[in-house]
Amino acid sequence: MDILSVTGILLSIGALLLGNFLHGGEITALFNIPALIIVFGGTLGAALLQFPPVVFTRSLKIFLWILKPAQTNLHAQIDKLVGWSMSARKEGLLGLENEMSQEQDPFIQKALQLLVDGNEPEVIRDTLEVELNIKENRDLQAAKLFGAMGGYAPTIGIIGAVMGLIHVMQNLANPELLGDGIATAFVATIYGVASANLFFLPVANKLKHHIMVATQAREMMIVGIIAIAEGENPRNIELKLAGFLHDKK
Amino acid sequence: MDILSVTGILLSIGALLLGNFLHGGEITALFNIPALIIVFGGTLGAALLQFPPVVFTRSLKIFLWILKPAQTNLHAQIDKLVGWSMSARKEGLLGLENEMSQEQDPFIQKALQLLVDGNEPEVIRDTLEVELNIKENRDLQAAKLFGAMGGYAPTIGIIGAVMGLIHVMQNLANPELLGDGIATAFVATIYGVASANLFFLPVANKLKHHIMVATQAREMMIVGIIAIAEGENPRNIELKLAGFLHDKK
Amino acid sequence: MDILSVTGILLSIGALLLGNFLHGGEITALFNIPALIIVFGGTLGAALLQFPPVVFTRSLKIFLWILKPAQTNLHAQIDKLVGWSMSARKEGLLGLENEMSQEQDPFIQKALQLLVDGNEPEVIRDTLEVELNIKENRDLQAAKLFGAMGGYAPTIGIIGAVMGLIHVMQNLANPELLGDGIATAFVATIYGVASANLFFLPVANKLKHHIMVATQAREMMIVGIIAIAEGENPRNIELKLAGFLHDKK
Amino acid sequence: MDILSVTGILLSIGALLLGNFLHGGEITALFNIPALIIVFGGTLGAALLQFPPVVFTRSLKIFLWILKPAQTNLHAQIDKLVGWSMSARKEGLLGLENEMSQEQDPFIQKALQLLVDGNEPEVIRDTLEVELNIKENRDLQAAKLFGAMGGYAPTIGIIGAVMGLIHVMQNLANPELLGDGIATAFVATIYGVASANLFFLPVANKLKHHIMVATQAREMMIVGIIAIAEGENPRNIELKLAGFLHDKK
Amino acid sequence: MDILSVTGILLSIGALLLGNFLHGGEITALFNIPALIIVFGGTLGAALLQFPPVVFTRSLKIFLWILKPAQTNLHAQIDKLVGWSMSARKEGLLGLENEMSQEQDPFIQKALQLLVDGNEPEVIRDTLEVELNIKENRDLQAAKLFGAMGGYAPTIGIIGAVMGLIHVMQNLANPELLGDGIATAFVATIYGVASANLFFLPVANKLKHHIMVATQAREMMIVGIIAIAEGENPRNIELKLAGFLHDKK
């Protein structure tokens, strides 16, 4: 559970509401149904037009990483790869066949399969890198959905505000309605700018970060598998893979 | 038929009109012929100046992908490539000559031609990659037409608004016309911002997505054809090409 | 003669003037000498400071491509290259010496010279690619001049508007002058935004497109010359070069 | 101690306060608790949502580089590498084993380890470059935290201003409160724009500069270690590494 | 002496002042000490925080290129390289030793040194490219100082304007001061936008152009030196280097 994500959302919304309250503003002034419909209907409409269904489905799935990121234990993976390189030296590559059934990640399964089949290191690398790129690209597309919504929301907020102002301007004869009308118009701006900067854009960027981490873990897996295929000694493999760890000073 | 594209456009326009209605605005306030002429005449003029005729023609053609995307069945293509690799093993590359006439996509025809002619894998790759890049680049230019219009429309909307405001300012003597004049001026802003964010930019990006998918399918074709030319075994080819599939977990 | 370029400029200016007329605005309100001096004097000054003389000269030259693009007939060039490859097979590379004098493009002359001299393919490629990059880069710099002016003009338009508003604000005592003063101030904004979006930026992008086309034609020439130097058979050369053609489905 | 960093912050804040004072503005007008809560609470909330905990921790650590940059003496490192290359020529690579214990930087320790173990130059390079990239990427992520806050702060400042204006607009009945209300609303804009441009963005960029310098030093170490592994003569190594020095004319 | 740089600055400032004069504005309205302090104090403060001392020193040095660019005569350098290649053919590489003392550019000295020492072409290239990249990168950093100031100035101008408006808003009771107060506030915007667009950004871009030219000259030197080391014939070297010349049609 990613506490920071939840804390971040609560903190920013709380700060806005507290600031508004201390300012003397009434909270009801910030709720406005027409502005809500314009900003979020418009933003969703633009996103539906921009993205194909497959990206939408994937977006909903990876959105959960915000709350519960896929944990990748690089230390454990290094230990595993070093262990495989030892088995391979002792029992040959075929000795790794049993490991395959124990793996759940299809990427690692495929990597082991290619290794056990005795392919050339170059073939293994090419095959796994195609897979890596396709997976990374698919997830980046899904993360981009949130980035695109973060781009559309503020401009659609401006449309809402201008529509409100037009309404106000056409009723200048009732000056007592002026202030209230302008206030309502401005709420659309807040919806657009706040949803983009406090939700859509940070979410898109956090997803990009998780995708980068997953890609690095897969790159490490490729480096390790290639090293086993080339028969490097386990000590060197460990030294090489240790470079992927972040937590060293 | 891409339901999402149509839904997206209807949803965003519906949201704007519904929001305006709930706001108490009259729908007629959003229609304004001079603003229409300025924003769309100016945007089209800028696009005509920027793009050569050949890009315009292509843009009109690929715009239809928004409603009816070119379907590429990667699974079927993989089966086909694996089948070809088996024939090639049994009957030699010449055995693929009959396949050529059954293919409709000129890119695949050319790939088969190069294979049947017995060219070196390196020559096949170079030749097909030139074709891939030229095709991808041509379509990206066509998609960019919509992106460029999405860039020009809001700024030309601002020109329209400022022209309207100048007109208003010169008639400050008639204050009763003030509000109506400003309202009219603002409509140009809405036309510019809304057409860009609810139509031009999402369309440009969806087209880019379809181009990327088509390019990946062609890249898969190249990888498969090269693998056949290099005489890899069908099982490996299938494993390698499977990396291009999105739908695996 | 590029009809679209002229049509584009006429269409966008016509749309602005027609919109203004239908709006009820007087055309004289859009003409203002001080605004003209500020926006175009400032923009030209910034460009003079930014670009060295050699880029200016080249910009004036390639600007004419907007009206009369350099035509490159790729079909004819492919036929020529295939013809050369046949001569080279029959009479040896020296047989191409006569062709050189008939070529007018110094790039093609140089390519033939390198071929006839019997250089290694790698040497030919390196030499021609240096030339290709330098030429492309020089023309991109010249196109960038228009892009830079398109970047400066709107901000300098804002300077003009703010200077006008300052003048207005200092004469608030004469309210009857207010509207007229503001109107005049806004004209500078229109000059800046319109010149950028209806002229400078589309021109810069169209020039970039022409440069890309010229570069692709030179790249095709390099691929063809290298293939001749490597003694590939004419049929394969034709197949390879056909990939550069846009007009195939 | 980086005097310029401190001077820069003091100069820019001093300039703002002095300008405000000379302008006749009261300093108290620039302090506003609700604006403070909205801008910095919102910015921090967005950052918490965007970045994972590990990046936050690293950001706090490298922020100190603003005051006290990690000094890298390239001259000393070159002398050291040249010395090692001489020892290696005299006593073999094993003669460098003692040096390892004297090094504190784990990157240099690892480089020496790989050298002493007698690995192929290609293996040393691959292993060290993985480490280099991971370290550089981790630090760039941490620097990006400040860049992201510099991106969010001004837009959240606008949210604060619009919230303040809404409050003002709803109280137009009390015109004597108008000016004061607008003034308060504008303070949020100043907080957002000033914190971004006078603090967050310059800090992010200075950190990026320090990261680039550290990466160049590590690249120099890799070049030197590889040269020793390939047995180049010390004079050449010195000539090659001297290219990394900035201070030559 | 780069006449265009001086002309550019004088033209843009002259255009602003002339436009203001024709507009009927008084020149004194454009001078305002508090605005001056806020905009340039703030911009300088941000730059001091962002850049390390070594970049500042270099920036001051290369700023002079605006007035007096480093002239690089590519024709003369090609003649020199062709001459060296002839000497090398006649007297061997050692015959170039005398040339070294006559060269003043340390980059060319180093290139000759590497050549005379009889290094492998690959070693010469690697060594010179490290030097090339470090030099180019150092100068790009220095040019970026002006670009960064051009980025900060307009936003700090907005801070100045908003601070001025706050002051105005708090004195709405004295409406006769309103116009004058707003006018003063706007001057900060002009200082920020004008200094960025008429000075900082064009300067940064012209410096980038000079750096690109210097880098191309050094790349040409590397290509020539490598060709001599590989013993290519002088005629081919001349043909190859001619590609770096801009002035051919």
Side-chain angles (χ1 to χ4, degrees), chain C residues 154-166, chain D residues 23, chain E residues 16 29-30 32 34-36 38-40 43 150-165 181-198:
Chain C
T155 51
I156 297 175
I158 288 173
I159 296 176
V162 175
M163 281 171 72
L165 290 176
I166 288 175
Chain D
H23 224 225
Chain E
L16 259 57
L30 300 179
N32 187 273
L36 207 77
I38 289 170
V39 175
F40 298 107
T43 302
Y152 291 132
T155 51
I156 297 175
I158 288 172
I159 296 176
V162 175
M163 282 171 71
L165 291 177
I182 293 178
T184 309
F186 281 175
V187 172
T189 311
I190 292 183
Y191 287 180
V193 177
S195 65
N197 288 281
L198 303 180

Side-chain angles (χ1 to χ4, degrees), chain D residues 4-27:
Chain D
L4 254 61
S5 295
V6 182
T7 315
I9 294 179
L10 294 180
L11 172 59
S12 55
I13 294 182
L16 259 57
L17 296 182
L18 178 60
N20 189 56
F21 172 75
L22 293 177
H23 224 225
E26 293 167 52
I27 199 165

Side-chain angles (χ1 to χ4, degrees), chain B residues 46-218:
Chain B
L48 284 169
L49 177 54
Q50 174 161 345
F51 291 94
V54 64
V55 174
F56 261 92
T57 328
R58 184 75 194 158
S59 291
L60 292 178
K61 197 161 191 176
I62 70 174
F63 173 67
L64 297 176
W65 292 355
I66 293 296
L67 298 175
K68 197 166 156 38
Q71 293 295 335
T72 312
N73 188 334
L74 292 183
H75 287 281
Q77 285 207 0
I78 292 178
D79 291 349
K80 205 184 274 182
L81 279 162
V82 171
W84 292 346
S85 77
M86 287 171 178
S87 316
R89 292 211 145 195
K90 271 191 246 151
E91 313 159 37
L93 290 169
L94 280 172
L96 297 174
E97 199 145 26
N98 298 330
E99 305 287 344
M100 243 186 307
S101 53
Q102 293 171 33
E103 283 300 324
Q104 292 180 329
D105 181 335
F107 184 82
I108 304 182
Q109 280 183 342
K110 184 166 192 171
L112 273 171
Q113 178 75 59
L114 287 162
L115 190 62
V116 169
D117 284 2
N119 288 289
E120 291 296 305
E122 213 44 47
V123 171
I124 299 180
R125 187 197 307 277
D126 285 0
T127 306
L128 291 178
E129 276 180 358
V130 162
E131 180 122 5
L132 175 86
N133 290 335
I134 293 285
K135 274 186 199 295
E136 185 185 16
N137 192 37
R138 175 197 56 176
D139 286 347
L140 285 175
Q141 287 289 319
K144 228 171 102 176
L145 174 75
F146 298 97
M149 290 178 87
Y152 291 131
T155 50
I156 297 174
I158 288 171
I159 296 176
V162 175
M163 281 170 73
L165 291 177
I166 288 174
H167 182 47
V168 168
M169 289 298 159
Q170 291 186 312
N171 295 285
L172 278 186
N174 297 25
E176 66 270 23
L177 295 177
L178 185 69
D180 198 55
I182 294 179
T184 309
F186 281 176
V187 172
T189 311
I190 293 184
Y191 286 179
V193 177
S195 64
N197 287 281
L198 303 180
F199 184 75
F200 290 128
L201 297 177
V203 162
N205 285 314
K206 184 166 245 173
L207 291 179
K208 271 188 214 158
H209 186 272
H210 287 317
I211 293 165
M212 190 191 73
V213 168
T215 299
Q216 282 182 352
R218 290 195 188 111

Side-chain angles (χ1 to χ4, degrees), chain A residues 8 11-12 15-16 197-198 202, chain D residues 36-51 56 145-157 191-192 195-196 200:
Chain A
L11 172 59
S12 54
L16 258 56
N197 288 282
L198 304 179
Chain D
L36 207 77
I37 290 171
I38 290 170
V39 175
F40 297 107
T43 302
L44 187 61
L48 283 168
L49 178 53
Q50 173 162 345
F51 292 94
F56 261 93
L145 174 74
F146 297 98
M149 291 177 87
Y152 291 131
T155 51
I156 298 175
Y191 287 179
S195 65
F200 289 129

Side-chain angles (χ1 to χ4, degrees), chain E residues 117-189:
Chain E
D117 285 3
N119 287 289
E120 291 296 305
E122 214 42 51
V123 171
I124 299 180
R125 188 197 306 279
D126 286 0
T127 305
L128 291 178
E129 276 181 358
V130 161
E131 182 122 4
L132 175 86
N133 290 334
I134 293 285
K135 273 187 199 298
E136 186 184 15
N137 191 38
R138 174 198 56 176
D139 286 347
L140 285 175
Q141 287 289 319
K144 228 171 103 176
L145 174 74
F146 297 98
M149 290 177 87
Y152 291 132
T155 51
I156 297 175
I158 288 172
I159 296 176
V162 175
M163 282 171 71
L165 291 177
I166 288 175
H167 181 47
V168 168
M169 289 298 159
Q170 290 185 314
N171 294 286
L172 278 186
N174 297 24
E176 67 270 22
L177 294 178
L178 186 67
D180 198 55
I182 293 178
T184 309
F186 281 175
V187 172
T189 311

